Structure formats: structure tokens, C-alpha cells
Amino acid sequence: MNNPLRSTTLRFGLVGWPLSHSLSPFIHTSALEAAGLAGEYQLFPVYPLPMGMDDLKLILSRMRGGELHGLNVTIPYKQSVMPMLDRLTGVAESIGAVNLIYMEQDRLTGDNSDAPAFLLDMQRKLGFFERTRTALILGAGGAARAAVYALLQNGWNIYVASRRVDAARQILTDLIQYRRVGSQRAAALPLEPAAIGNLAACDLVVNATPSGMYPDIHGSPWPDGIAFPPKAAFYDMVYNPPVTSMIQAVRAAGMVGTNGLGMLVEQAALSFERWTSRPAPRQVMWEAAMKSISVGIRSNLWNSD
Ligand code: NAP
């Protein structure tokens, strides 16, 4: 088994496309420095499949060989990397997406830290700790899957609303069939005013679409012309810009809304802990994220991972 801490230099990285201006190298470099570990976090931009297949295989073989000690995975590889690994954790298998890769007992292992990172940050920011609440998730991609998994596991009732309602239905079919996810109330809806406008009883709305993310900063996933559920708090997984158009509108209505920067930092912290077996210096990582996002704002540089 690899023991990365025996290496002089720890080598971590992020695989995806596009990766320009990712915040992850800043967050991880600051964590390595704060922990007194020599290391680096590299970006591995891999052109989408099928063109990027050889590059992706090469990066994974560098992990198997012990030359790399940990990888994060982002769009478009969170699903397509799964068959190339030796083992998936139960969470990654249930969600159907991997964003964290490590070696365990000589097996290349895929995990998903988006789900616990979302839950922890959402609870910390919005204070939802009690069970049996109702959430509306907007979107039906990988991030929505992670949020639905985390909330179902924690006893929430769920609506998933998506432009392609079939994709929302598929999430519920896939997740509810796993025995470890309970059978709370869950329903799929089209992301349209007629369907969303009736959900007055929602406690939480989660944006798990890229709508509102730079450069589409005026976009919002919330359909025009309908009121927000009056008791709901809003969690926007988008963090660039830090105050999205949807969160601006939520706050203008006197309601509470937060962005997904804390989720990004928490998934990085969980990755760091998995790769190094040391506690992550979360405060330092958070400050690095805040600093690099301010530099991004000033320089007009953004990224989506
Ligand atoms: P994804 O797999 O590509 O899924 C995107 C989903 O959003 C799809 O259901 C898509 O619907 C829908 N969508 C796209 N544009 C839309 C629009 N303008 N209006 C309504 N729905 C729209 O992406 P993902 O990995 O789930 O990521 C989603 C967002 O979450 C991204 O912005 C990503 O940066 C963010 N995210 C943040 C964190 C964090 O740590 N904060 C972690 C993961 C992801 P169609 O199928 O109809 O296109």
C-alpha cells in the first residue's frame, strides 16, 4: 500500500475540463503549508472523452504507481471515471458519482465527498439540524444527486425539479433502491412555474444547477413570476459570483440565502484528511478560498469546479 507521508513531496491534483482558474490549488496548497507537509496540488486538464481517454488512464496509472497520492475529479469525469477504478465506497456507488480518489489496500478507490460537504455546510449556514423537513432541489445532475442522497439519508422529504423531469425521476429511482437510503416522501417535478409555485411548505431550496454562475451572472434557476416558498432558506451551490442573482432576489425578499463556497472548502478538507490522515486546517483553507475568490473577482477570473 502507498504511504504518501513517506514521500518527500505529496502530489495531489484535480482532473476535469475546463480547469482554468480553479480555486482548489490555492485551498490545498495553503492546507499543506499549514500542516507542515511538503507537497503540491496540480491541475490535470483532460479533454472530454473519447479524446481524453489516454490522458485519463495515464493519470490513474500514476496513482496506482504511487507517483500521485490523491486526486479530485470534476466535470465531466465524475461518472465516466467510475468503471476505471478498482473499488467504490458505498456513498459513491449510491450517488453514482466520484469526486475523490485514493489508494486503499492497493486498490484505486472512488469516493464522494460532495454529499457530506453539502450537508455539513448547509446545516452550519442555515441551521437545519432537526429531522423531517422538506427540501426542493433544483437540477438533476451530479451535484443534485449528492444533495438528494445527503438529505434522504437525514430524513428529509424531497422534491427534485429539473428541466428534464425524467432525469429528476431517475435520481429518485436510483437512490431509493439502495437499502441504506430510507423511503421518505420524494417526488420529481418539471422546473416550471406551475409545478414549483405550489410548494409553499418547503423549508429549504437548493440550487444544484449552474444557472447564475459566471459568466451567466444574471441567470437564476428560480422561474420568473412566482413567489419564493415563504418559510424557505436557500442554498446556492454556485459561489462565483459569491452573491448570485437568485441569492440577491432571496435577500431582497427578506429571506435567508447562502452560497456553496463552504461546500467547496469542506469537500477539499475531507479530501485532505483522506489523503494525509491528518485533520484538515479548515480555517486556513477557508481563508485561502476567500482570498482567491476575491482575487478572481478583481481579475475577472472564474471557474466552476
Ligand atoms: P451537471 O451534472 O452538468 O448538472 C447540471 C444540472 O443543471 C442538469 O440537471 C441541467 O439540466 C441543469 N441546468 C443546467 N443549466 C440550467 C439552467 N440554466 N436552468 C435550469 N437548469 C439547468 O452539473 P453538476 O456537477 O450537477 O453541477 C451543478 C452546479 O453545482 C455547477 O454550477 C457546479 O459548479 C456546482 N457545484 C458546486 C459544488 C460546490 O462545492 N459548491 C460542488 C459540485 C457542484 P439539463 O440536463 O436540462 O441541462
Side-chain angles (χ1 to χ4, degrees):
M1 178 179 167
N2 287 340
N3 184 348
L5 293 180
R6 280 205 201 117
S7 308
T8 1
T9 303
L10 295 173
R11 293 198 169 80
F12 307 137
L14 173 65
V15 180
W17 182 277
L19 291 182
S20 52
H21 317 309
S22 166
L23 302 186
S24 295
F26 300 101
I27 298 172
H28 279 282
T29 304
S30 69
L32 285 164
E33 279 171 15
L37 296 169
E40 61 183 22
Y41 188 98
Q42 261 184 285
L43 295 179
F44 297 107
V46 174
Y47 202 77
L49 300 179
M51 270 182 75
M53 182 56 93
D54 287 348
D55 287 343
L56 186 58
K57 283 185 180 162
L58 182 65
I59 292 164
L60 295 178
S61 73
R62 289 177 66 192
M63 267 218 61
R64 283 184 208 280
E67 190 190 329
L68 296 173
H69 308 112
L71 285 170
N72 287 129
V73 181
T74 188
I75 295 171
Y77 289 113
K78 286 186 179 183
Q79 282 152 345
S80 47
V81 78
M82 291 170 68
M84 302 168 80
L85 305 175
D86 304 326
R87 177 181 164 262
L88 298 172
T89 61
V91 180
E93 194 174 2
S94 300
I95 293 170
V98 159
N99 74 315
L100 166 60
I101 299 178
Y102 55 91
M103 289 296 283
E104 187 169 72
Q105 293 170 340
D106 289 332
R107 290 192 296 172
L108 203 50
T109 301
D111 196 2
N112 189 304
S113 60
D114 280 338
F118 158 74
L119 189 71
L120 198 139
D121 191 54
M122 185 278 292
Q123 288 176 328
R124 187 168 47 198
K125 299 272 175 53
L126 302 178
F128 286 125
F129 293 100
E130 320 95 280
R131 297 173 78 84
T132 319
R133 297 266 197 164
T134 299
L136 166 62
I137 316 299
L138 309 177
R145 277 180 176 267
V148 171
Y149 173 85
L151 292 169
L152 280 175
Q153 283 277 54
N154 280 272
W156 286 66
N157 300 317
I158 301 287
Y159 294 102
V160 186
S162 171
R163 296 194 292 203
R164 291 180 302 116
V165 72
D166 283 356
R169 274 195 207 106
Q170 192 62 50
I171 291 185
L172 297 179
T173 308
D174 290 350
L175 287 180
I176 288 170
Q177 80 182 6
Y178 279 89
R179 261 178 279 139
R180 63 177 77 85
V181 171
S183 57
Q184 292 82 22
R185 272 190 304 142
L189 306 167
L191 184 40
E192 290 168 2
I196 305 302
N198 293 325
L199 302 179
C202 271
D203 304 292
L204 171 69
V205 177
V206 180
N207 176 30
T209 82
S211 183
M213 183 172 77
Y214 181 86
D216 169 35
I217 59 167
H218 300 297
S220 168
W222 192 257
D224 284 339
I226 55 163
F228 296 129
K231 290 189 301 163
F234 283 68
Y235 190 97
D236 197 334
M237 289 198 187
V238 173
Y239 50 82
N240 51 359
V243 182
T244 59
S245 188
M246 184 180 82
I247 295 298
Q248 271 178 37
V250 164
R251 291 181 182 169
M255 301 169 71
V256 174
T258 189
N259 69 26
L261 191 61
M263 175 178 170
L264 179 77
V265 172
E266 185 57 31
Q267 65 75 31
L270 293 170
S271 302
F272 181 91
E273 287 175 343
R274 168 56 69 186
W275 297 330
T276 67
S277 303
R278 297 202 182 179
R282 285 179 168 72
Q283 185 59 28
V284 168
M285 297 171 90
W286 171 254
E287 283 161 16
M290 291 291 281
K291 188 170 163 198
S292 49
I293 208 159
S294 322
V295 171
I297 291 167
R298 285 201 297 279
S299 323
N300 214 15
L301 303 173
W302 296 108
N303 187 47
S304 64
D305 73 298

